[in-house]
């Protein structure tokens, strides 16, 4: 969610807010605060205060600031709005009947800080509308995740925002989860490494800090504030905590956000898991902030590791903190530690030394950032099927017919919403099931597929037509007269609501079925945020998943369909044949049940929905492998316009102790007729004594080869990776530690998770 302190412009024609960025002076007032702002004090020479002395360490500077602070000035750092508005002194009461919340003005020489949401892009007008994170994960390109982070930070700073609430981490427990496109798929290693690279990029220039979210087991939107994710300690460690452990170790983010949900009956923002797992075990030394409204207590939240309450002061008000301190429920040591963590992260992240510009830029996007967006849309699109119709090579006079509302920038009313290419630029926000969805990004500069394909086809002398597909019979008749038919199927999803099924929206399945029966050269372009069922799959010649492709969706689709760029994306999540095949296929697992066994909350109660994670470790591809269920398209799957062969797979050493470097070596050969890029993946199957379902991804490497060319590839599992990413380890709850099972480990190398085991090694 966007901080209530932000009101992002959604149109460039809207008047820009004139915000003054000063180390001391009038500050932003967050929504929900009252208009009590202290009169500007006499100017202070900030070079004379020790917390502005850049020659000192961040620890020294933070401590110096807190040493100069009163108790209630320290309290300001424990809540977002008093933090970001240093001269505002009064907020409305946290609860009805309470007095307004009053603070003293903050100490001199503290910065204006502005939080912004931004998992896929900075949520403001005049920015680059990047593709969704699920598309970024489909590139399997960590360098691109870093570059995107750098670009986002640059745009955020230009827009007077210096804390980006991103990247997000999820585990893809169910493809119905509304925020699936906001995350990096179903594998903990992929999630952790992509989040780390993205966070490092955001913080690279030392002006903006990142925020990993939403810790943890936050796997559905339905009743996200009133549900409990009930899981084993082993699942917490190996699946839901591991991506954060990897991201903290590899990316060193300055902040982490705790989620709305409960874990095993305790709200995560007041759970010991924050302190014990995130801070103590993972070594996270930044600060933990809440989500908006996810705090439910004062003492339990603070003492279990929460450092900052987002939005206005409710539970961390001076009155409540004073009362808890006087009652012995919280300690001065913990208050000081929380304030110290927040201030140190702001200093370490460059927020004290790089004041925001005096005025937000009208336009923060650049041609370089747009090029990154296009590259993500190209590399992140996944060619799921191709019977030879792609790449397109039309001749002069031929017709390419496009179908579906999202192919064009011309809006079509579908249900209660105008639908066009803009609709699939980004995720959506939908505050209730009856509300029309709206984009999370402004999507001001979207280039539609119709526009891009028309221009590209014209170069070959071909013609492009568009039909919104609302009259299925008419669309089929038009398809019958075209040389090539391209149907655009879509699925809109995002925060606040989960999907109710995995079907295309807007009657997309019926449209595709009608068109493919009328035209033997039918291509489907999917613009979805998650997996979809494909009852028409056998009748179409090609399927390209473009996800939410951002503003450059059209040029990317055109370049891929025409073969100007060869597809290289791989799925970061499994596409099941049907919803019934997924791991969470019982009501107790999803959506969760209540005490009477039903999925509907008993009337007149605030009962917590109990969500059973009884699938335990069998999430994503591990579930399908363990159950012997054939997916529609496997995790890691993705085609291109050539083919690849794998052989000579070997592991060095063949016998080891589990702590030393392991090298997986193999040869990849381009066996087709075009240059292409293959993302070679390595999977390991643990000994049966480990009790680990299926296989697990341990690494990957991209190789680009000309026809007939081969490469000898090595995927190295370093000693550090083995220890820090737990690549071969499993969690032993009885011993309360990570352990490595002795025995034989199978190794599979190939283009997806369905690759059979080729060799093995032994840990003694």
């Amino acid at each position: 969610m966007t901080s209530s302190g932000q009101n992002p412009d959604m149109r460039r024609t809207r008047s820009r807010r004139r915000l003054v960025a000063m180390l001391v002076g009038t500050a932003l007032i967050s929504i929900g605060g009252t208009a009590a702002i202290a009169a500007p004090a006499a100017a202070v020479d900030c070079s004379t205060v020790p917390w502005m002395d850049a020659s000192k360490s961040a620890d020294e500077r933070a401590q110096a600031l807190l040493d100069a602070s009163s108790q209630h000035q320290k309290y300001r750092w424990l809540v977002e709005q008093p933090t970001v508005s240093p001269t505002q002194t009064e907020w409305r009461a946290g609860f009805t009947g309470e007095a307004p919340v009053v603070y003293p003005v903050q100490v001199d020489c503290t910065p204006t800080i502005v939080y912004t949401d931004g998992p896929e892009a900075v949520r403001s007008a005049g920015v680059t509308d990047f593709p969704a994170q699920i598309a970024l994960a489909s590139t399997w390109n960590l360098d691109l995740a870093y570059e995107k982070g750098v670009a986002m930070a640059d745009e955020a700073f230009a827009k007077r925002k210096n804390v980006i609430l991103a990247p997000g981490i999820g585990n893809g427990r169910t493809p119905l989860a509304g925020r699936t496109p906001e995350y990096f798929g179903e594998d903990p290693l992929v999630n952790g490494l992509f989040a780390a690279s993205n966070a490092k990029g955001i913080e690279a220039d030392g002006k903006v800090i990142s925020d990993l979210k939403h810790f943890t087991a936050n796997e559905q939107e339905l009743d996200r504030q009133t549900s409990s994710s009930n899981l084993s300690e082993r699942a917490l460690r190996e699946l839901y905590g591991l991506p954060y452990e990897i991201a903290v170790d590899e990316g060193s983010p300055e902040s982490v956000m705790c989620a709305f949900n409960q874990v095993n009956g305790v709200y995560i923002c007041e759970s010991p898991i924050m302190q014990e797992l995130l801070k103590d075990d993972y070594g996270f030394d930044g600060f933990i902030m809440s989500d908006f409204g996810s705090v439910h207590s004062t003492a339990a939240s603070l003492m279990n590791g929460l450092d900052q309450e987002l939005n206005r002061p409710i539970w961390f008000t001076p009155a409540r903190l004073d009362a808890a301190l006087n009652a012995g429920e919280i300690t001065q040591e913990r208050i000081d530690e929380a304030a110290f963590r927040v201030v140190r992260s702001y200093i370490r992240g460059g927020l004290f030394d790089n004041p925001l510009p005096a005025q937000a830029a009208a336009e923060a996007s650049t041609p370089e950032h747009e090029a990154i967006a296009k590259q993500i849309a190209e590399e992140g699109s996944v060619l799921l099927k191709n019977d030879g119709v792609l790449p397109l090579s039309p001749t002069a006079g031929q017709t390419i017919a496009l179908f579906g509302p999202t192919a064009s920038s011309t809006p079509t009313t579908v249900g209660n919403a105008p639908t066009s290419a803009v609709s699939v630029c980004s995720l959506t926000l939908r505050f209730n099931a009856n509300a029309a969805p709206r984009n999370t990004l402004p999507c001001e500069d979207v280039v539609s597929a119709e526009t891009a394909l028309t221009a590209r086809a014209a170069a070959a002398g071909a013609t492009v037509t568009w039909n919104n597909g609302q009259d299925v019979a008419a669309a089929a008749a038009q398809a019958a007269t075209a040389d090539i038919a391209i149907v655009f199927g879509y699925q809109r999803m995002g925060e606040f609501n989960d999907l109710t099924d995995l079907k295309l929206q807007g009657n997309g399945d019926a449209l595709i079925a009608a068109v493919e029966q009328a035209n033997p050269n039918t291509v489907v372009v999917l613009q979805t945020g998650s997996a979809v069922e494909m009852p028409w799959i056998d009748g179409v010649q090609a399927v390209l998943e473009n996800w939410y492709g951002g503003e450059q969706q059209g040029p990317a689709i055109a370049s891929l369909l025409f073969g100007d760029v060869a597809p290289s994306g791989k799925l970061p999540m499994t596409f099941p044949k049907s919803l019934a095949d997924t791991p969470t296929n019982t009501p107790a697992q999803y959506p969760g049940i209540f005490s009477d066994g039903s999925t509907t909350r008993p009337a007149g109660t605030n009962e917590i929905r109990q969500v059973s994670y009884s699938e335990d470790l069998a999430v994503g591809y591990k579930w399908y492998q363990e159950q012997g269920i054939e997916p529609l398209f496997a995790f890691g799957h993705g085609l291109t316009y050539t083919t690849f062969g794998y052989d000579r797979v070997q592991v060095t050493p063949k016998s080891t102790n589990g702590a030393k470097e392991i090298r997986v070596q193999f040869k990849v050969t381009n066996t087709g007729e075009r240059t292409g890029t293959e993302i070679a993946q390595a999977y390991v199957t643990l000994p049966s004594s480990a009790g680990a379902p299926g296989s697990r991804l341990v690494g990957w490497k991209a190789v680009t080869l000309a026809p007939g060319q081969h490469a000898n590839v090595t995927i190295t599992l370093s000693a550090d990776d083995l220890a820090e990413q737990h690549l071969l380890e499993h969690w032993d709850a009885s011993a309360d530690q990570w352990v490595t099972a002795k025995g034989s480990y199978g190794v599979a190398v190939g283009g997806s998770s369905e690759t059979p085991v080729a060799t093995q090694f032994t840990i003694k």
Side-chain angles (χ1 to χ4, degrees), residues 139-173:
T139 69
W140 295 58
N141 186 338
L142 297 176
D143 291 339
L144 198 51
Y146 177 88
E147 291 173 16
K148 179 185 177 184
V150 172
M152 287 174 60
D154 181 68
E155 295 187 3
F157 193 80
K159 286 291 180 178
R160 300 195 77 252
K161 305 172 192 297
N162 48 10
V163 179
I164 302 179
L165 305 182
I169 290 175
N171 283 75
R173 179 175 178 262

Side-chain angles (χ1 to χ4, degrees), residues 107-375:
V107 297
D108 294 317
C109 304
T110 58
T112 294
I113 297 170
V114 184
Y115 288 28
T116 180
D117 213 351
E120 71 273 65
V122 178
R123 292 186 178 174
S124 176
V127 300
T128 305
D129 299 307
F130 289 103
Q133 296 290 69
I134 192 73
L136 179 61
S138 299
T139 69
W140 295 58
N141 186 338
L142 297 176
D143 291 339
L144 198 51
Y146 177 88
E147 291 173 16
K148 179 185 177 184
V150 172
M152 287 174 60
D154 181 68
E155 295 187 3
F157 193 80
K159 286 291 180 178
R160 300 195 77 252
K161 305 172 192 297
N162 48 10
V163 179
I164 302 179
L165 305 182
I169 290 175
N171 283 75
R173 179 175 178 262
T174 171
L176 296 175
R179 300 179 89 163
T180 296
E182 195 172 311
Y183 304 138
F184 299 111
E186 68 190 27
D187 183 81
L189 182 63
V190 172
N191 264 282
L193 291 177
F194 267 90
S197 292
N198 203 206
K200 282 195 292 187
I202 290 171
E203 298 185 356
D205 286 344
K207 296 179 181 178
V208 177
I209 68 172
S210 65
D211 177 56
L212 297 185
K213 62 182 187 181
H214 308 84
F215 184 81
T216 184
N218 178 238
E219 296 290 321
Q220 64 189 63
E221 289 299 282
L222 178 64
D223 281 345
R224 64 183 186 178
Q225 293 174 296
T226 52
S227 64
S228 178
S229 301
N230 301 325
L231 65 156
S232 70
E233 183 182 357
R234 182 170 178 183
L236 175 63
R237 292 282 186 163
E238 292 189 25
L239 289 183
Y240 301 101
L242 182 56
Y244 288 91
E245 183 174 7
I246 293 171
V248 165
D249 181 69
E250 299 278 345
S252 301
E254 290 294 352
S255 67
V256 171
M257 179 186 290
C258 57
F260 287 113
N261 56 288
Q262 295 183 356
V263 172
N264 296 333
V266 180
Y267 284 108
I268 192 65
C269 287
E270 60 186 37
S271 169
I273 290 173
M274 287 190 298
Q275 182 66 48
E276 295 172 1
L277 204 65
L278 191 54
K279 290 183 174 179
D280 294 345
D281 285 8
Y282 299 170
F284 174 63
D285 69 349
F287 70 98
I288 300 177
M289 66 174 73
S290 73
D291 207 333
F292 303 102
S294 65
V295 183
H296 296 268
S297 63
T298 302
S301 298
L302 184 67
M303 294 307 293
N304 283 308
L306 183 65
D307 300 304
Q308 188 180 81
E309 179 180 22
L310 253 62
N311 209 294
R312 63 188 177 88
I314 297 176
W315 289 98
F316 282 9
T317 64
R320 286 179 179 272
L321 291 168
D322 282 344
L325 183 61
N326 292 334
E329 297 170 344
I330 63 176
T331 65
Q332 184 64 46
E333 179 183 18
R334 177 66 191 109
I335 292 167
D336 290 345
E337 185 210 3
F340 178 82
R341 280 176 172 266
V342 173
V343 174
R344 180 177 62 183
S345 284
Y346 290 157
I347 293 172
R348 196 163 56 189
L351 277 57
F352 271 65
D353 299 328
N354 295 282
L356 289 168
Q359 183 172 322
E363 180 63 56
S365 182
T366 68
E368 292 76 17
H369 297 171
E370 292 170 2
I372 293 171
K374 183 171 183 283
Q375 184 180 355

